[in-house]
């Protein structure tokens, strides 16, 4: 049994995955704010899997945590998880001793991964499980406040050299485009990031991107422009992922994909327009290669569990080394 | 001993690589035009390695060929090698029987790979050999008539799902940019491809890109615009490669890099300008991560030899299967 947690800006999704890869239990809870509360959330979520979802915590061999921040390679240290109020947190080291009160197993290995990378791994696993032919390679494109992707090839996460793999959100596709919070102009994220759209829409709303779609349907010119920019940015990200990493399919997920078919229709139209103009783009059949992660999918938490299991393998090897 | 050939539009570069990885012999010859002549060039080049460079052909265990075209995955079939007058050619199958008259070994395995992908593998091997710390991952960005890249991670070539890995030349970075031969507007190749620049310069010249640089130095406004576009396109390709595949370094090669430091200065200025505007881009230290392949480097032929050796391993396994 392995546990995986997706620690989001507001909610944490936790799953227990059995040895056959099936989800044996799942709970959701609010995420705390700041380093201590985030650490506590992780511990509480593992405990809740036992108490609320009836998972046998003594059978858990690893914990994986996906978190929206940069992870220092080879450590469990999180930096710049702004949406969680975390500037710096040695999450794996903080969580491990506290888990001793929750599970009987001493020194349960805890791995931490960027949430989008974890979701990519989980989306790949779910894809294979759904009976579809398992793609040789896949990109998971997360459309949230910001935009980033994770790339999985032959079931292995592409981690890259310095932690910027899949950071397609900050590729500029228009020198005259809107100013991005990163300082460049015309970044994919400046067109299609939920945060950037909300800021430019400038009307207080709980669901600003949905409002933009609704207002565009009613003919509001600035909403139409923002909505067109969203499709344009997503289509550009899809092209970048296919033309650079040559992934078989691109799976869209994240908060903005709650728009479902309304979003997909716009993106498909944008991809079709470039296929119309270019025989080369047409030969790529991009519209057939973009998929939507189903709403409520446990991809991120499942992927975190898979990352955690990598830690379990290392842990076993280390134990073997120490204990012979 | 393994042989590698880089079959270019005008010249073919052939090397023999010994078991320690050192280049034991090298020859260059003109490339023929059309399927039969290209096949003959490959056979002649292997023969010339023996006759002219004194390589012991009886010790050769594999032949690898890099060629500017699409290669059907898992076969030695070349399609659309326009610069060689080849629409379709089953190169491996055509070459194998003819090599029997050249080397004593029967059924020498012949592997074919796209030339840019082969060069990426070779550039990676040369980098490791030059005493520099071997990069964990590298992109080789070929600046020739067109623009494409090869990505190598942990010494392994990223082949992708459908043959478009590294096709960054056809990523659009400006919706109002020049029309690309692919039909889109503002492709990286439309800004920075040697062919696109020559076409827009529209003055007959053997070295159009060099002419553009010279004329720009003398203040010609259209030359200055083309020259700025070249730097802009190359810088965009570097950003795409780092932000998608997160390669440690990007090595520039291909015909246009004959401009050497003049090109590098322009590209560095362009990368510095975006670092100036964006703390995020600044954190990537891109100017330190771009390198120039030395002129006359055998990277592509060496890489082809490495690809050929992969075929040798498969061949050995198959022979073991057949002969027990």
């Amino acid at each position: 049994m392995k546990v995986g947690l997706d620690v989001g800006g507001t909610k944490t999704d936790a799953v227990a995955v059995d040895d056959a890869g099936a989800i044996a239990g799942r709970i959701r809870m609010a995420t705390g704010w700041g380093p201590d509360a985030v650490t506590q959330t992780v511990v509480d979520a593992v405990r809740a899997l036992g108490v609320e979802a009836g998972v046998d915590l003594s059978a858990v061999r690893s914990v994986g945590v996906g978190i929206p921040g940069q992870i220092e390679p080879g450590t469990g240290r999180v930096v710049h998880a702004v949406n969680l109020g975390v500037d710096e947190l040695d999450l794996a080291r903080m969580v491990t001793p506290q888990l001793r009160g929750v599970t009987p197993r001493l020194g349960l290995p805890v791995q931490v991964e960027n949430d989008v990378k974890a979701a990519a791994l989980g989306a790949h696993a779910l894809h294979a499980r759904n009976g579809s032919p398992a793609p040789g390679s896949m990109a998971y494109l997360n459309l949230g406040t910001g935009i980033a992707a994770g790339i999985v090839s032959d079931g292995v996460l592409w981690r890259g050299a310095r932690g910027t793999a899949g950071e397609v959100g900050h590729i500029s596709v228009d020198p005259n485009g809107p100013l991005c919070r990163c300082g460049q102009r015309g970044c994919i994220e400046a067109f299609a990031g939920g945060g950037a759209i909300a800021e430019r829409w400038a009307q207080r709303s709980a669901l600003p991107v949905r409002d933009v779609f609704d207002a565009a349907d009613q003919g509001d010119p600035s909403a139409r422009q923002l909505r067109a920019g969203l499709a344009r940015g997503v289509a550009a990200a899809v092209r970048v992922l296919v033309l650079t990493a040559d992934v078989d399919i691109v799976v869209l997920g994240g908060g903005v994909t709650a728009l479902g078919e309304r979003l997909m229709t716009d993106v498909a139209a944008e991809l079709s327009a470039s296929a119309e103009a270019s025989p080369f783009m047409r030969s790529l059949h991009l519209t057939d290669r973009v998929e939507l992660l189903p709403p409520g999918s446990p991809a991120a938490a499942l992927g975190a569990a898979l990352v955690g299991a990598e830690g379990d393998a290392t842990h076993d090897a280390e134990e073997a080394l120490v204990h012979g």
Side-chain angles (χ1 to χ4, degrees), chain A:
Chain A
M1 189 85 80
K2 41 189 176 274
V3 161
L5 277 72
D6 175 37
V7 179
T10 50
K11 266 180 302 195
T12 290
D13 186 16
V15 298
V17 181
D18 67 21
D19 294 342
I23 290 177
R26 185 177 186 187
I27 63 101
R28 275 182 248 209
M29 59 192 300
T31 302
W33 175 259
D36 292 345
V38 166
T39 304
Q40 193 60 49
T41 301
V42 171
V43 175
D44 289 348
V46 176
R47 184 183 291 114
L49 277 171
V51 177
E52 293 173 30
V55 171
D56 172 12
L57 293 182
S58 72
V60 172
R61 289 176 52 86
S62 64
V63 174
V65 183
I67 199 161
Q70 286 174 38
I71 314 302
E72 283 187 8
T75 75
R77 277 175 57 82
V78 184
V79 284
H80 305 314
V82 242
N83 294 337
L84 302 176
V86 169
D87 189 44
E88 229 184 282
L89 171 60
D90 200 344
L91 185 61
R93 205 176 60 81
M94 297 302 287
V95 162
T96 302
Q98 296 199 44
L99 281 180
R100 288 192 191 133
V102 177
T103 78
R105 198 170 177 227
L106 284 176
L108 201 60
V110 176
Q111 298 288 315
V112 183
E113 183 54 274
N114 169 271
D115 61 340
V116 174
K117 290 200 172 68
L121 212 48
H124 183 269
L126 287 173
H127 206 276
R129 195 171 303 164
N130 287 343
S132 343
S137 55
M138 168 197 272
Y140 167 76
L141 180 62
N142 194 70
L143 308 175
T145 308
I147 290 192
I151 299 166
V152 177
S153 175
D154 291 330
V156 178
L157 190 61
W158 179 278
R159 284 202 168 86
R162 308 193 189 184
T164 61
E167 287 289 351
V168 296
H170 296 293
I171 291 173
S172 166
V173 292
D174 187 349
N176 303 310
L179 193 64
C180 182
R181 67 183 169 92
C182 86
Q184 299 184 99
R185 277 209 173 270
C187 286
I188 286 174
E189 184 168 305
F191 280 108
I197 292 174
E199 203 171 289
R200 287 159 65 208
W201 183 231
Q203 301 188 9
R204 284 195 171 276
S205 157
L207 296 166
V209 184
R210 190 178 298 266
D211 278 2
V212 165
F213 268 63
D214 291 344
D217 277 343
Q218 286 151 30
D220 180 292
S222 75
R224 291 177 74 139
Q225 199 191 353
L226 287 173
R227 181 170 167 173
L230 171 56
R232 187 172 148 196
V234 175
V238 169
R239 288 189 209 103
V240 163
L241 288 164
V242 168
L243 291 176
T244 307
D246 191 18
V247 289
D248 249 327
I249 62 165
V250 178
V251 176
L252 308 183
V256 171
T257 59
L259 287 161
E261 281 310 312
R262 296 174 84 188
L263 172 68
M264 287 299 268
T265 305
D266 282 17
V267 172
E270 184 70 26
L271 291 171
S272 297
S274 63
E276 196 82 26
S278 162
F280 173 67
M281 293 311 294
R282 194 150 64 239
S283 76
L284 302 179
H285 303 286
L286 291 181
T287 47
D288 303 338
R289 293 164 74 179
V290 179
E291 298 179 7
L292 201 58
L293 200 66
S297 164
L302 172 62
L306 297 174
V307 169
E310 293 174 15
D312 183 31
T314 317
H315 191 257
D316 282 357
E318 279 167 2
E319 294 231 313
L321 215 64
V322 172
H323 303 292

